[in-house]
Amino acid sequence: MTATLEYHLKRIFGYTQFRPNQREIVGQLLAGHDVFAVMPTGGGKSLCYQLPAAITPGTGVVISPLISLMKDQVDGARDLGIRAEYLNSNLTPAAMSDVYRMLEQGELDLLYVSPERFAMDGFLTTLSRTPINLFAVDEAHCMSEWGHDFRPDYLNLTAIRQRFPAVPIAAFTATATRKVQDDIAGRLQLRDPFLVRASFNRPNLYYRVEPKGKIREQLLDFVEQHRDVAGIIYRTSRKDVDATADFLRCHGIKALPYHAGLSREERERNQDAFNRDEINVIVATIAFGMGIDKSNVRYVVHGDLPKNLEGYYQETGRAGRDGDPSLCVLFFGRGDIVKLRYFIDRIEDAGERDIARKKLYGVADFADQPVCRRRQLLAYFGEDYPAANCGGCDVCVGEVEKADESRSAQMLMSAVARVRAAFPADHIIDIVIGNDTAAVRHCRHHDLPTFGVGREHDRDYWHALLQLLRERDCLRTDSDPAGGIVLTAKGKKVLFGHEKFLILRPAPGKKRARRAPVETAAAGNHDLFERLRQLRRRLADDADVPPYVIFSDKVLTEMSRALPQRQREMGRISGVGEAKLRKYGAVFIEEIRQFLEEHPDVLPAGRLPIMPARSRSVPSRSAVNDGALAQLMTDGLALTEIAETLRTPLRTLTRRLEAMLDQGRELPLDSLVGTAARLEIERQIALSGRHESVTALARQLGGTFDPAVIRLVKKALPAVVPLR
Ligand code: ADP
Ligand code: ZN
């Protein structure tokens, strides 16, 4: 059995190894048992139901909350050779009845549906006429009112067990407290389910906290250091999201905003552009989340302090789903605590307010305490991280160092202890730095032994320290209206030397490995990787799917490292299964061969380049004679005429022209395409937005233009035209 599963894993998905828990879950489902799996984002849950559904007779039904993702999920599954369809309100009646027909004729391995559908007349009856091999409930926490994302529609799923007593049900979620877990299991009536609680550790994520200063410049600086890769920047307010996106765009970064204040169309368009690698950066509020299925997000940066650690974990979790090294950076400034506190203090319910406050201090601690970031995050989920050094955060790697501030803390707290009543912060600091104000004299505080002991530091230093002592619960504001400062039990421990007061600061002289964790991802040939990426973009555009559906970055990296030049070699690349090999193997091999022909030095000694086959099915770039092409363009010939003269397919010709544009060459578009045509295409692009796919543009233009021509015009648009 085990051997067979491994065989199917390679055949369908192209992987040689299961990720933790995957094999067990697949095995349980195949044996007809229910499964309840709590897996972090990027844990690889889709495979857990896709694999058993694909290799057993009958159809697997997947319940997924986001209509916007269904198409991509289905495209992805189909690309693996799995017969998948979806049913949701976006489908036309005709398309819908097609799907029903396929379902009833047993032509589907997987059917994706939204939970609403279970409430619709006749849906369950239709399902019961078909052999169903499993139900997979994605984002199952939406079922529970105790969860953070309750959706009443999910309650329709309670009917499944009764109607299909013999079919195994698998529930998946990335967040589940005990309460939510019991709730889900009860509502779905799971029978002694196989329980998986995967570790929430994400070993490929590197965590770093940086002091927040001029945040927009800092963000720009960061993005410029990571120009070629995709990332998410979270900001708290919509205003900051818009301003940051504009600022980045002004500096030539392909960035778009995402927040609940934008129209639905705009949000979808921006998200789509991000998913399709058309832009590098999405600047977003936390409204941006569930809809991202992109596996190659290389960094998640928080420009502001998140409200709690749970949110921080979920948001950073969107980085590196493909398992490649990715970076999570939090810009942390004390001002953010004050801002968030302002809102929290206005929560009416005292209990809720308290919880919100505790959570806020939890994130502040995360940023502030000299403890491994990973350990702190995992501890939040009740998970113990055993290793002393995680090797994947700024604390463990030594980018920051622990400083013992116990002495200063003691000075400050001793002043607080000696004044005997609750005095305001400024008064305490006056004492410590030896400032004999009228108030100090009046209380005779200039006679205290603590008076002036802290002259070596300035007022700002003491303010910051006092704030920190407050956040770490060593000092607190007294409840009297004057708001004086008093010591806490914890503060006393530090004051009497039973506990140290440690803080974090940047390690001096230690040059930070700014890009290190991300750079290791691109171990292959970078230029080839870029070319393969371009090729993937073109293929994705043609097929109207997001690029990652074709191959993940990881697969392209692996190709640019292993340089496969034969089908057999290509098939060995992790992530290249049978269906993908058949569909894309030849085109990618061709690209690699051409690259090797142009860069013979890239191949390691002992390996010979295989000469590119000039087959008709695979457009060959070098098939276009550049000299002749330039001459024909100067002569003012149209695209079709040039194609004919050079005996080159139109598509091959436009690709060559696109490559010329990439190299910064200007093209006589008006003669190539015709002025009227160019204007019409440009107008449509302006109407639909630059992120509209070529396929869609072709449709909108009424099918009068060859997509290759549209793509060329699109590509030739000057980069300075605003993206929106
Ligand atoms: P989740 O839904 O749990 O967030 P996905 O199912 O989207 O995660 O998987 C995340 C990524 O990991 C995808 O790119 C997927 O192809 C990849 N993946 C899943 N299983 C494996 C495996 N066994 N080996 C390598 N990559 C895998
Ligand atoms: Zn660590």
Side-chain angles (χ1 to χ4, degrees), residues 9 13-20 22 39-50 73 80 138-139 172 174 202 292-296 317 320-323 548 552 554 574-575:
L9 180 69
F13 298 88
Y15 301 134
T16 42
Q17 261 188 337
F18 283 104
R19 291 226 179 119
Q22 282 180 330
M39 288 170 101
T41 312
K45 66 179 138 71
S46 16
L47 190 147
C48 297
Y49 53 81
Q50 287 178 339
Q73 287 172 323
L80 293 168
D138 205 358
E139 312 284 359
F172 295 91
R202 300 282 310 276
I292 341 165
D293 223 9
K294 195 173 159 73
S295 66
N296 63 339
R321 289 167 75 146
D322 51 11
Y548 64 77
S552 71
K554 199 173 173 137
S574 174

Side-chain angles (χ1 to χ4, degrees), residues 172-193:
F172 295 91
T173 173
T175 29
T177 60
R178 258 262 117 66
K179 210 166 187 173
V180 174
Q181 195 168 313
D182 292 345
D183 215 17
I184 299 171
R187 294 207 154 144
L188 285 173
Q189 299 164 57
L190 299 184
R191 278 185 303 238
D192 188 19

Side-chain angles (χ1 to χ4, degrees), residues 19-55:
R19 291 226 179 119
N21 304 307
Q22 282 180 330
R23 194 209 271 114
E24 292 76 3
I25 296 176
V26 171
Q28 292 287 334
L29 284 173
L30 288 174
H33 298 146
D34 290 345
V35 169
F36 187 99
V38 184
M39 288 170 101
T41 312
K45 66 179 138 71
S46 16
L47 190 147
C48 297
Y49 53 81
Q50 287 178 339
L51 177 50
I55 65 173

Side-chain angles (χ1 to χ4, degrees), residues 151-172:
R151 296 183 185 214
D153 283 328
Y154 261 72
L155 296 180
N156 296 323
L157 306 182
T158 50
I160 295 178
R161 174 82 323 145
Q162 267 172 328
R163 293 292 294 260
F164 302 88
V167 181
I169 303 177
F172 295 91

Side-chain angles (χ1 to χ4, degrees), residues 372-374 389-393 396:
C372 167
R373 317 275 186 205
R374 189 175 308 277
N389 188 320
C390 84
C393 79
C396 290

